[in-house]
Amino acid sequence: MVAIRYETPRSVSEAVRLMAADPGARVLAGGTDLLVQFRTGVRQPSAFVDIKRIPELMSIAIDAHGLRLGAATPAAVIGEHAELRRLWPGLAESVRLIGSTQIQGRGSVGGNLCNASPAADTTCALIVNRAECVIAGPNGERTVPVEAFSIAPGRTVLQPGELLVAIRVPRPAARTSDAYLRLIPRTEMDIAVAGAAASVTLDAAGLCTTARVAIGAVAPTALRVPAAEQALVGSRLDEASLKRAADAASAAARPIDDKRGTTAYRRTVAGVLTRRAAAIAAARAREQGSHP
Amino acid sequence: MTAPRDFKYVGTRPIRHDGVDKVTGRASYGADAAWPGMLHGFVLRSPHAHARIVSIDTGAAEAVPGVHAVITGKDLPETTATIALGEAAIDLRDIGDNVLAKTKTLYHGHAVAAVAATTIDIAREAAAAIEVVYDVLEPVTGIDRALGAGAPILHPALVTKGAAGPDAGGPTNIASRMELKRGDVDAGFAEADLVVEREFRTPMVHQGYIEPHACIARCGEDGRAVVWCTTQGPFVVRDACAAIVGLDPANVKVVPSEIGGGFGGKIVVYLEPLALALARKARRPVKIVMGRDDVFRATGPTSGSKVRVKLGAKRDGTIVAASASLWYEAGAYAGSPVGAGAMCMLAAYKVPNFFIEAYDVVVNKPKVAAYRAPGSPIAAFAVESVVDEIARELKIDPIELRLMNANAEGDRAPYGPKYGPIGLAQILEAARAHPHWRAPLGANQGRGFAVGFWFNAGMNSSATVTLNSDGSAAVVTGNPDIGGTRAAQAMMAAEELGIPVERVRSNVGDTDGSGFTDVTGGSRVCYATGMAVIRAAEDAREQLRARAATIWNVSKDAVGWENGRAIPPAGTEKASPMTVAELTAKMTQTGGPIVGRASLYAPMAGPAFGAHICDLEVDPETGRSRIVRYTAFQDVGKAVHPSYVEGQMQGGVAQGIGWALNEEYIYSADGVMENAGFLDYRMPVASDLPMIETVIVEVANPLHPYGVRGVGEVPIVPPLAAVANAMRDATGIRFTELPLSPPRVLEAIEAAAAVPVEA
Amino acid sequence: MSKLHIETTINREPAEFLCEPHETVLSALRNGLGLTGTKEGCATGDCGACSILLDGRLVPACLVLAPEAQGRTITTIEGLSRGDALHPLQQKFLEHAALQCGICTPGFIVAAKALLDATPEPSEEETRYWLAGNLCRCTGYDKIVRAVLDAASEMKGSAA
């Protein structure tokens, strides 16, 4: 039997050293994906590098520039952060949707991104909020936009020895808000069959000046949908423009048939969720406008 | 008729006797035992749905340090034994082959070898070193393929049993065919003003008990063996293990652990013979715990099905004819519950003319096991959907239509006997009178109604009631307590003895410590074993009367019994009534210990009906639905502990809703199960369901001294149709295939929108 | 391969155990420490039967490595009652008949404790969503939800 090591680095540099020294090592954050994969024989790491004893990976900081979210911070901790929920309600919703209360106690946004499932709940919400991944490695730190982080199901841009340490999200402009919705057959505990996030910025007159739309579980990676964004920008986010955005999202979807849903179903629902998420984001942005 | 009786304990809600152990984590379940010197077992399973085993080389596995035993199908004798289950018999040849494949693997997950080692990691590693050469065959993945031209044949020697149909003769995947008929079905349909025919399909679904199968076994040099396991039937495990492993049943003791749910799925053996065979080979105790994936792949779910139903009715709503064909998947070996489905499907209705044919079909999926009212929910889904269509077509209230056609006492059941007192009309009337039936519905909401039936079982039961010198009592039966039966049995003993229910200890015995008792199943424990407890308590009471007679020096016949006290005959000098405690204090002086005992065979039980009202709301843009209100009505005969009766009803409803909305076995084209886990086998979670209202109706069952009927199985029968009928009401679409998952519902909504509605 | 020595606090008492580096806390509790009240229903975090509190936070013990417990505080079902007194949730589960087979019960009670610690007066909906990660196949959840809500109101009453 191959012995598996358990390591608890106390700093990012120590973690990077451990990861660089052993290509078979895997980062252990919440373990809600990794330990299941280990248990079912999908992954057989030579070492678990538990990064949860590194303080900066377990922290939430919000300042004038925005949010810096430690990659291993458990979802439940994020959900309890009132300021984060106020500034990015859609992002907070997407985090809250990861698994059960128990999973929330372990699972992290960093883990959600590194698992690189096209159905990951946080990815779309991060993309529409212009989030970046802060990556540490043997050659120092680099940043990658979230939409470029995953390159295929289960694969990311992380190179050997590299580690996702934080997610940075710029502070939203005035009259900006977001929303994330997913479709699951039950009310909880399922993987998204389709998901959609939207972030919109309104001007003082209520016209949409900027919009970002992303859809999940309908392609090998989460997709930004520029055509849907264009359908929203310049509009009052009325039914007609929302419908155009929905159609654009459905058109952009490139889903597969699998045990969780059919191609046709995912395509349709990606549109429905895009319309609904954009409407919620718009309502939230208007609410901000009325209560500055 | 049972005389009305004033009960002191029956009908109350005491705290269950095993409750504190279960809320504190002290209760010991299948996987909770550890024995000194114990090894850990791991089972190697087939990755193929259908394959011939060419060879198995266990050499590398046996060479792994820490491995103590490896077994394959060759280590188990081929048995032709059968074991009795009530009046039925379980053929152990198939069970033995299912436990460990001998020449062919017949489903993805079929066990091919097992290893015992000092740690589970070593056992797993060694199992991976076993080299199995398979000759992979085309799998039979469903009923249509099984019956189609050129279908692969699972069992070359299989011959269709029963009433031969048109397709008998030659190699076949049809294990049996039965017919059920009455009257002249052609004449009946000729009489009908309206004929509705539909074909329905349901997928294979699992009981979904939360506790995986687990056991620990040891076997001495003298062949004496002990098996600790989570089971509904310790005596079944004893006899099956002995036959499959090749031991004398007299040498096998089975100790049932607490059981973490079964619903019928923990009656047959899976791991126990393997643990026992490994323990015999290693001369060490062996523990095996199943993983959740193997529970799904390799234990016994219930059948996937195809059911065609045709009903004919007069304009006034009278049902005059019915015909039906049922095909149920048996899984890898014969034995689906299709016969029960055929017998239950028209149980609620007076139908003068019917013809039903039922096919048991083998496919390359796990061998099905009992699941709560086996066969009946599938058949009720079909019939109750068609009855709903008739009510709509004829514009008759669905409850009214059912009342109009309802069977009553004295009517002959479609499956043969005449009904005694049954509560069908009473539950229908209770439903009609309930505010739920008239409550307004919101947008995108619909309401469905359906009824369901189950025979309930009697069978063999034994009980002892031992009195202690302080006047307390201990009850022992052989039925594992799967949901409160200890409490119910204690209540019955307390009722008969007149002692407080808290002073009765209620125990589950092992196969040496209790008289023979059939399984915890068939909704029979509170009924049949309860009856044994009542009789054993009566026996103890009679002995108490005799002791009082001795003390008073009178004849026993002269001693009365009231409110837990022996009453001296009038005029007896210096004698005053004696309590149980006063009598038991003198046991030694009056003849020694008092043990009341009873054993019985109950050939019949009180059949029961349930009626359900379901409100559902659908999101027309996504096809996603949720249950917004649900009320279940049931004739329970007599509720011994009403809280646990309600709990059975609520639990059955929840399982039925899961079956209707989201649960299904998903197989790839090559027969590999793709959703063998709780993530993608979607059972209802707490946020999926509303409170489930229950209405208990009590129409006494004359076969039981208190009027008890079985309760546990009936409530899973109506929900499939109740939900589908609600979906029909909400969307205007008749769904004939389960589950009503969002993609299926949305597809139908979009298809309906694309077709202009006919006037 | 050598085992790791872990020092932790379990149910208010210091505890130590040896474990494999890849062993789970669930395995260490059940096999190493004999605390079998925490159950394994799936080992993939989907059923909630192994719910424990780790530093007060609800987690699935099947998805926590045993060595992660070093220096942490664990509460299991065995730690809820005090002396002769059941926790109010345990008492209410009994009174409401909120268990049938009982295998999911420890996980539900631990999860419900975490709920009431965080939200002393939960609504029915909050309760249902909080407990969505705890599967029960026997009860249909009705009596469980009622027991939790009743315990909440009783605990509020006794705290006042």
Side-chain angles (χ1 to χ4, degrees):
Chain A
M1 280 196 63
V2 184
I4 302 173
R5 289 175 297 118
Y6 171 76
E7 305 282 359
T8 50
R10 303 298 163 132
S11 68
V12 169
S13 58
E14 192 188 344
V16 167
R17 266 201 309 280
L18 285 163
M19 295 301 295
D22 180 356
R26 300 285 306 180
V27 167
L28 175 70
T32 55
D33 291 311
L34 178 60
L35 294 183
V36 174
Q37 291 159 359
F38 170 64
R39 178 98 184 186
T40 53
V42 174
R43 286 190 198 279
Q44 287 297 325
S46 53
F48 291 108
V49 177
D50 182 354
I51 55 172
K52 294 192 293 300
R53 306 226 179 205
I54 305 172
E56 66 174 291
L57 270 76
M58 296 291 281
S59 62
I60 300 172
I62 296 175
D63 63 15
H65 301 292
L67 165 70
R68 187 183 190 287
L69 175 62
T73 311
V77 174
I78 299 169
E80 288 162 7
H81 200 288
E83 179 72 354
L84 191 156
R85 286 208 312 265
R86 187 181 68 81
L87 287 170
W88 298 279
L91 175 56
E93 277 159 7
S94 75
V95 174
R96 197 207 69 73
L97 289 173
I98 304 171
S100 61
T101 318
Q102 287 84 345
I103 295 293
Q104 292 270 304
R106 294 282 291 167
S108 63
V109 172
N112 204 227
L113 288 174
C114 289
N115 190 52
S117 162
D121 284 310
T122 57
T123 316
C124 292
L126 289 167
I127 289 172
V128 300
N129 280 297
R130 301 175 165 78
E132 293 177 326
C133 297
V134 181
I135 297 167
N139 303 318
E141 204 170 272
R142 65 182 177 123
T143 58
V144 172
V146 167
E147 58 256 53
F149 184 73
S150 173
I151 51 178
R155 289 180 55 208
T156 69
V157 296
L158 287 179
Q159 297 299 306
E162 282 190 330
L163 151 89
L164 176 62
V165 294
I167 295 95
R168 277 206 303 250
V169 186
R171 206 174 174 94
R175 290 181 300 274
T176 298
S177 198
D178 65 340
Y180 171 74
L181 294 173
R182 67 172 183 185
L183 189 292
I184 55 173
R186 293 181 289 188
T187 49
E188 278 282 1
M189 301 304 293
D190 292 329
I191 303 292
V193 177
S199 171
V200 297
T201 302
L202 307 181
D203 66 14
L207 277 180
C208 177
T209 56
T210 315
R212 283 171 72 99
V213 171
I215 52 179
V218 291
T221 63
L223 294 179
R224 249 191 87 184
V225 189
E229 296 168 359
Q230 285 153 22
L232 299 175
V233 172
S235 80
R236 294 192 167 276
L237 302 173
D238 51 315
E239 273 302 314
S241 58
L242 292 172
K243 173 75 168 55
R244 282 197 303 276
D247 292 345
S250 288
R254 292 181 273 120
I256 55 165
D257 274 325
D258 70 4
K259 62 189 173 189
R260 292 176 186 143
T262 60
T263 301
Y265 183 72
R266 286 192 158 109
R267 191 184 291 286
T268 304
V269 171
V272 172
L273 296 179
T274 295
R275 192 189 79 227
R276 291 178 181 180
I280 294 169
R284 285 174 175 161
R286 286 182 198 118
E287 178 78 3
Q288 278 183 26
S290 60
H291 305 287
Chain B
M1 270 305 289
T2 312
R5 177 170 166 179
D6 276 338
F7 290 108
K8 192 162 181 192
Y9 299 108
V10 169
T12 65
R13 301 172 187 244
I15 291 199
R16 61 192 282 173
H17 292 59
D18 52 338
V20 170
D21 281 353
K22 286 179 176 168
V23 299
T24 55
R26 249 174 243 128
S28 200
Y29 290 81
D32 294 343
W35 288 351
M38 173 178 89
L39 301 172
H40 297 269
F42 184 82
V43 181
L44 180 69
R45 297 178 181 279
S46 171
H48 308 295
H50 195 190
R52 213 182 320 280
I53 299 172
V54 177
S55 64
I56 304 179
D57 184 349
T58 59
E62 282 159 356
V64 174
V67 170
H68 285 250
V70 181
I71 57 167
T72 69
K74 290 188 178 133
D75 291 281
L76 301 181
E78 194 152 322
T79 177
T80 53
T82 57
I83 46 176
L85 185 65
E87 282 172 354
I90 302 175
D91 182 347
L92 287 177
R93 182 202 302 266
D94 286 351
I95 305 282
D97 202 52
N98 189 41
V99 160
L100 202 52
K102 304 242 172 359
T103 57
K104 277 177 93 180
T105 66
L106 293 167
Y107 53 93
H108 173 220
H110 198 162
V112 293
V115 180
T118 48
T119 71
I120 188 65
D121 287 339
I122 294 173
R124 193 179 286 121
E125 184 192 338
I130 296 172
E131 284 178 41
V132 187
V133 178
Y134 294 100
D135 175 15
V136 179
L137 306 169
E138 184 195 338
V140 173
T141 52
I143 288 163
D144 291 342
R145 184 70 190 109
L147 305 183
I153 296 296
L154 272 74
H155 305 282
L158 185 74
V159 176
T160 306
K161 286 185 189 158
D167 41 13
T172 181
N173 291 318
I174 299 174
S176 74
R177 179 179 180 281
M178 75 166 247
E179 288 180 3
L180 213 58
K181 52 192 161 190
R182 175 186 292 171
D184 182 336
V185 75
D186 292 332
F189 279 114
E191 226 189 303
D193 298 313
L194 171 70
V195 174
V196 176
E197 182 172 14
R198 295 280 190 281
E199 185 174 295
F200 299 85
R201 286 175 188 265
T202 66
M204 186 168 261
V205 295
H206 198 271
Q207 298 87 350
Y209 35 81
I210 307 302
E211 179 201 30
H213 297 257
C215 67
I216 177 166
R218 64 172 190 256
C219 186
E221 289 76 358
D222 58 358
R224 288 182 194 274
V226 182
V227 180
W228 155 283
C229 62
T230 172
T231 178
Q232 295 172 247
F235 290 91
V236 172
V237 174
R238 181 191 66 184
D239 295 351
C241 278
I244 291 168
V245 179
L247 294 169
D248 180 350
N251 280 341
V252 180
K253 174 166 96 169
V254 174
V255 184
S257 69
E258 294 303 327
I259 175 168
F263 312 105
K266 286 181 182 159
I267 293 173
V268 290
V269 292
Y270 299 101
L271 301 177
E272 297 85 352
L274 302 181
L276 192 49
L278 288 167
R280 181 174 59 176
K281 204 164 177 177
R283 292 286 175 235
R284 297 260 297 263
V286 175
K287 177 176 179 174
I288 313 183
V289 179
M290 215 182 257
R292 176 57 54 184
D293 47 353
D294 290 341
V295 173
F296 277 113
R297 283 188 203 112
T299 65
T302 197
S303 308
S305 71
K306 178 168 92 169
V307 176
R308 194 178 298 142
V309 170
K310 181 168 142 185
L311 292 183
K314 305 261 254 189
R315 201 160 287 115
D316 68 1
T318 312
I319 299 172
V320 289
S323 69
S325 302
L326 301 84
W327 295 265
Y328 281 20
E329 293 174 347
Y333 304 88
S336 78
V338 71
M343 291 193 283
C344 289
M345 67 193 307
L346 298 175
Y349 305 116
K350 294 181 213 276
V351 185
N353 310 289
F354 60 78
F355 177 82
I356 303 172
E357 54 172 359
Y359 296 88
D360 184 30
V361 183
V362 292
V363 295
N364 289 115
K365 296 182 183 177
K367 174 176 169 48
V368 302
Y371 179 18
R372 205 168 197 162
S376 191
I378 294 168
F381 167 55
V383 167
E384 292 299 295
S385 294
V386 172
V387 170
D388 192 63
E389 283 299 300
I390 288 175
R392 286 177 177 281
E393 290 279 338
L394 297 177
K395 299 188 167 43
I396 299 174
D397 175 271
I399 298 181
E400 201 58 50
L401 180 77
R402 287 170 171 92
L403 267 168
M404 205 182 288
N405 290 285
N407 272 320
E409 183 171 2
D411 287 333
R412 246 165 69 83
Y415 56 93
K418 278 192 174 172
Y419 286 118
I422 49 172
L424 177 57
Q426 289 87 334
I427 57 167
L428 289 169
E429 277 156 10
R432 189 171 55 177
H434 195 280
H436 185 173
W437 189 238
R438 289 178 305 279
L441 289 165
N444 298 314
Q445 293 185 350
R447 178 166 297 149
F449 182 83
V451 301
F453 167 83
W454 187 242
F455 316 97
N456 295 323
M459 308 201 287
N460 298 288
S461 285
S462 308
T464 57
V465 174
T466 303
L467 299 184
N468 300 311
S469 59
D470 64 356
S472 65
V475 176
V476 178
T477 76
N479 282 121
D481 181 354
I482 209 161
T485 52
R486 279 189 187 89
Q489 291 170 3
M491 291 166 77
M492 295 190 220
E495 195 72 53
E496 294 305 319
L497 291 168
I499 61 175
V501 68
E502 299 78 19
R503 301 219 75 215
V504 182
R505 248 191 111 82
S506 198
N507 304 280
V508 179
D510 60 43
T511 54
D512 287 352
S514 61
F516 182 87
T517 293
D518 274 316
V519 299
T520 295
S523 302
R524 61 174 291 280
V525 177
C526 204
Y527 166 67
T529 306
M531 201 145 54
V533 170
I534 291 167
R535 289 192 192 163
E538 283 170 351
D539 182 20
R541 195 180 64 209
E542 289 310 296
Q543 294 179 51
L544 287 169
R545 281 179 62 212
R547 302 303 173 90
T550 304
I551 292 167
W552 293 327
N553 201 18
V554 298
S555 86
K556 184 192 157 197
D557 292 343
V559 177
W561 190 270
E562 264 173 35
N563 297 325
R565 297 188 310 169
I567 310 294
T572 313
E573 259 180 72
K574 292 185 191 166
S576 51
M578 292 182 77
T579 63
V580 173
E582 286 163 349
L583 289 164
T584 55
K586 293 187 161 58
M587 273 193 302
T588 301
Q589 297 86 337
T590 56
I594 296 177
V595 179
R597 50 167 292 278
S599 50
L600 57 86
Y601 176 66
M604 292 194 299
F609 291 89
H612 294 187
I613 307 172
C614 170
D615 291 358
L616 166 153
E617 182 174 313
V618 64
D619 177 344
E621 289 187 322
T622 64
R624 196 165 164 279
S625 60
R626 67 186 182 95
I627 305 298
V628 293
R629 187 172 179 183
Y630 205 103
T631 308
F633 306 80
Q634 189 170 325
D635 168 23
V636 306
K638 176 73 196 170
V640 175
H641 193 310
S643 295
Y644 288 96
V645 169
E646 293 159 3
Q648 288 292 329
M649 293 168 68
Q650 291 161 338
V653 167
Q655 277 183 318
I657 288 171
W659 197 338
L661 289 182
N662 282 308
E663 292 179 34
E664 59 178 322
Y665 269 46
I666 302 172
Y667 281 96
S668 69
D670 50 2
V672 170
M673 188 183 177
E674 293 188 324
N675 61 332
F678 284 140
L679 184 63
D680 285 303
Y681 184 86
R682 303 186 190 97
M683 308 195 321
V685 301
S687 47
D688 291 341
L689 297 174
M691 292 295 184
I692 297 161
E693 190 178 344
T694 56
V695 177
I696 290 174
V697 173
E698 296 182 323
V699 176
N701 170 18
L703 300 174
H704 187 279
Y706 303 165
V708 167
R709 286 174 204 273
V711 165
E713 290 171 288
V714 171
I716 201 176
V717 182
L720 283 59
V723 171
N725 290 344
M727 188 66 91
R728 165 69 180 79
D729 197 40
T731 63
I733 299 164
R734 170 59 58 191
F735 286 86
T736 57
E737 187 168 358
L738 298 182
L740 303 178
S741 57
R744 173 166 290 137
V745 171
L746 185 65
E747 190 181 350
I749 290 173
E750 288 181 337
V755 178
V757 180
E758 287 174 39
Chain C
M1 187 167 63
S2 59
K3 292 198 172 189
L4 302 176
H5 176 238
I6 302 300
E7 291 178 276
T8 179
T9 301
I10 302 177
N11 299 331
R12 304 180 295 280
E13 284 188 6
E16 53 187 316
F17 58 85
L18 296 175
C19 67
E20 303 288 349
H22 60 272
E23 197 173 338
T24 61
V25 162
L26 177 60
S27 168
L29 288 171
R30 289 179 52 82
N31 303 320
L33 294 156
L35 292 170
T36 55
T38 306
K39 306 300 181 189
E40 177 174 313
C42 68
T44 51
D46 297 312
C47 79
C50 68
S51 297
I52 60 166
L53 304 183
L54 181 65
D55 286 346
R57 197 170 282 290
L58 183 67
V59 298
C62 69
L63 295 183
V64 181
L65 287 181
E68 292 189 57
Q70 174 64 40
R72 306 287 195 211
T73 298
I74 289 173
T75 303
T76 71
I77 185 67
E78 288 92 345
L80 260 65
S81 57
R82 302 277 176 113
D84 287 343
L86 293 176
H87 187 280
L89 279 161
Q90 293 172 313
Q91 188 60 36
K92 290 301 173 190
F93 267 60
L94 293 176
E95 290 172 10
H96 285 265
L99 59 148
Q100 283 178 34
C101 81
I103 194 82
C104 69
T105 308
F108 264 101
I109 290 176
V110 170
K113 180 186 185 309
L115 167 65
L116 300 188
D117 287 347
T119 312
E121 292 179 70
S123 65
E124 181 192 334
E125 189 181 8
E126 285 172 311
T127 302
R128 286 185 180 277
Y129 274 88
W130 183 279
L131 296 175
N134 291 81
L135 291 178
C136 171
R137 193 59 157 172
C138 295
T139 65
Y141 304 104
D142 183 302
K143 291 180 189 299
I144 292 174
V145 173
R146 289 179 199 275
V148 173
L149 295 175
D150 193 16
S153 63
E154 182 171 299
M155 288 165 75
K156 181 180 164 250
S158 65

